Amino acid sequence: MVTDVRSFPLPAGLGGKRSGLRRSAKKALVVKKKWLDLILAGKKTWEIRGSSTSKRGWVHFAESQAGGMLRGRGRLVNCIPVPKKSFQFHYKKHCVPSLNMVKYDTIYAWVFEDVEEFQKPFRYEHKQGAVIWVVV
């Protein structure tokens, strides 16, 4: 568990007045509490989405409907299409009990590693209309 993101070493030139939070990631993925709790507990390594992403690297996790709370971070390392016929085979990675719960025509797994939950969540300003990514 990370207690303070400011304790991580920074590349040269990233010092200054910016907060430690912004140094480790500039975007946060908005995730519903039910799924975010599983991700932060290390039980869910695949976040299921209906579109692919080319983003890679550290991202923060923002809890959906929580009024601007960043609860942790992780490294987005891959994005892979998941055929519906093999969806349940990967249950231990995505934790979705039934394919019927997934309303996407095409299913993608956003693969996370090195997930860390913050000891104390950070507040951020959630811009209206941000539903997948939010700038922090």
Side-chain angles (χ1 to χ4, degrees):
M1 181 179 297
V2 173
T3 56
D4 186 354
V5 294
R6 291 171 289 191
S7 64
F8 292 97
L10 299 174
L14 285 183
K17 296 181 181 179
R18 296 178 65 190
S19 73
L21 177 66
R22 293 184 185 200
R23 290 178 186 148
S24 62
K26 294 181 182 181
K27 287 195 173 189
L29 179 64
V30 180
V31 182
K32 291 181 180 177
K33 182 181 182 350
K34 171 183 178 176
W35 306 120
L36 183 53
D37 288 346
L38 291 170
I39 291 169
L40 295 174
K43 296 178 181 177
K44 178 176 165 65
T45 57
W46 285 10
E47 173 60 4
I48 299 302
R49 296 290 168 140
S51 61
S52 64
T53 182
S54 59
K55 174 117 176 90
R56 299 293 183 273
W58 287 102
V59 298
H60 291 291
F61 295 113
E63 184 178 323
S64 178
Q65 306 283 315
M69 297 301 293
L70 297 177
R71 294 191 41 213
R73 71 179 194 158
R75 279 189 321 113
L76 179 54
V77 297
N78 205 355
C79 177
I80 54 175
V82 181
K84 290 183 179 183
K85 65 184 177 187
S86 66
F87 185 78
Q88 283 310 116
F89 177 76
H90 300 288
Y91 171 76
K92 288 187 176 186
K93 295 176 185 171
H94 58 64
C95 300
V96 180
S98 170
L99 180 59
N100 293 333
M101 295 176 71
V102 180
K103 304 300 179 196
Y104 307 127
D105 292 330
T106 304
I107 302 170
Y108 293 90
W110 293 16
V111 183
F112 286 93
E113 293 180 356
D114 303 322
V115 171
E116 305 164 333
E117 183 173 11
F118 299 143
Q119 185 175 26
K120 181 179 177 186
F122 290 87
R123 297 206 52 77
Y124 75 97
E125 182 182 345
H126 188 90
K127 302 286 185 191
Q128 187 172 9
V131 293
I132 297 175
W133 292 107
V134 62
V135 176
V136 293

